[in-house]
Amino acid sequence: MALVPCQVLRVAILLSYCSILCNYKAIEMPSHQTYGGSWKFLTFIDLVIQAVFFGICVLTDLSSLLTRGSGNQEQERQLKKLISLRDWMLAVLAFPVGVFVVAVFWIIYAYDREMIYPKLLDNFIPGWLNHGMHTTVLPFILIEMRTSHHQYPSRSSGLTAICTFSVGYILWVCWVHHVTGMWVYPFLEHIGPGARIIFFGSTTILMNFLYLLGEVLNNYIWDTHRTAKPK
């Protein structure tokens, strides 16, 4: 019975991400028609990551309910694979990328919104959708981390994976600039090449830090939970 609320919550979060993605894609913005479309924005990539992650969570819950008590070893093997994939996605993508998007967006927005989210976008993106893309990601992923234990991969493989993602996205941003002559984010237009290298390097370091933060937080929540449970 304890699992039912978590299952319902995951379905609700998955549906909310599907709604956000559909509403975002329905918006006719000039940037969506240029090279790379929505896929050049980390916010959109993150929304896809979160939707896929919670889709895997829901699929894992359904498989767990169907497998429970069946005694079918093949089904149990498939369930273990799903759980491993779910845990890997949270550790390497959903948590670090999600927290990165929320933190970096609102820090730059507070400093000067024109550098990251020009006021012109208010004509296209309603406030609730902006918060759906840049705010609710954080509480959703923290709720998931608190309600289910996730087995992190080895630290070396996890850090390698998040570094690969970070460098891959940086190269993609540079390629879009090479093709179009325009930077994906306005503030990159106003800083020099050296400052861009420092910024890109800093974002990669921050992604690694957020991976480690997720690992520490996950261990803290569940080690504390296990310690308190016998009492």
Side-chain angles (χ1 to χ4, degrees):
M1 292 296 292
L3 288 175
V4 174
C6 299
Q7 293 170 340
V8 173
L9 190 58
R10 289 185 187 111
V11 171
I13 293 173
L14 174 60
L15 291 175
S16 72
Y17 276 124
C18 290
S19 174
I20 291 168
L21 280 167
C22 289
N23 279 277
Y24 179 74
K25 290 297 291 181
I27 297 172
E28 294 185 2
M29 287 197 304
S31 58
H32 288 180
Q33 312 305 320
T34 57
Y35 184 82
S38 303
W39 291 98
K40 58 181 174 283
F41 300 111
L42 186 59
T43 293
F44 179 77
I45 294 172
D46 178 50
L47 288 175
V48 173
I49 288 171
Q50 302 299 330
V52 171
F53 169 68
F54 278 99
I56 292 171
C57 287
V58 171
L59 184 58
T60 302
D61 288 338
L62 289 173
S63 298
S64 180
L65 288 172
L66 294 173
T67 304
R68 188 176 300 165
S70 68
N72 188 312
Q73 291 186 348
E74 180 58 29
Q75 287 183 344
E76 290 178 0
R77 276 196 296 269
Q78 295 303 320
L79 176 59
K80 287 179 180 178
K81 289 180 181 179
L82 267 179
I83 292 172
S84 295
L85 177 60
R86 179 200 68 183
D87 292 350
W88 185 89
M89 274 209 70
L90 177 125
V92 173
L93 294 174
F95 183 87
V97 177
V99 176
F100 179 90
V101 167
V102 174
V104 172
F105 175 83
W106 287 113
I107 288 170
I108 297 177
Y109 186 97
Y111 177 75
D112 182 359
R113 69 167 295 177
E114 294 299 318
M115 295 175 68
I116 190 75
Y117 191 83
K119 197 170 181 59
L120 176 66
L121 292 179
D122 290 343
N123 299 322
F124 299 95
I125 303 175
W128 70 267
L129 186 56
N130 179 31
H131 283 292
M133 297 187 298
H134 298 115
T135 305
T136 58
V137 173
L138 181 57
F140 284 168
I141 204 65
L142 290 177
I143 288 169
E144 170 60 26
M145 185 171 277
R146 178 63 186 84
T147 55
S148 296
H149 176 257
H150 297 272
Q151 184 66 45
Y152 266 60
S154 68
R155 185 167 293 180
S156 59
S157 64
L159 290 174
T160 299
I162 191 62
C163 278
T164 300
F165 175 86
S166 301
V167 172
Y169 181 69
I170 290 168
L171 292 175
W172 169 233
V173 168
C174 292
W175 177 254
V176 171
H177 175 261
H178 173 74
V179 172
T180 65
M182 298 286 291
W183 288 104
V184 172
Y185 303 103
F187 71 90
L188 292 173
E189 299 280 358
H190 305 293
I191 60 177
R196 288 192 202 106
I197 292 172
I198 293 171
F199 174 76
F200 289 144
S202 299
T203 57
T204 303
I205 293 170
L206 179 56
M207 281 282 200
N208 280 268
F209 171 77
L210 291 173
Y211 172 87
L212 295 173
L213 177 64
E215 183 181 39
V216 170
L217 185 60
N218 180 69
N219 291 337
Y220 172 77
I221 290 171
W222 290 97
D223 286 349
T224 302
H225 179 71
R226 289 194 191 100
T227 302
K229 199 169 183 181
K231 299 178 182 179

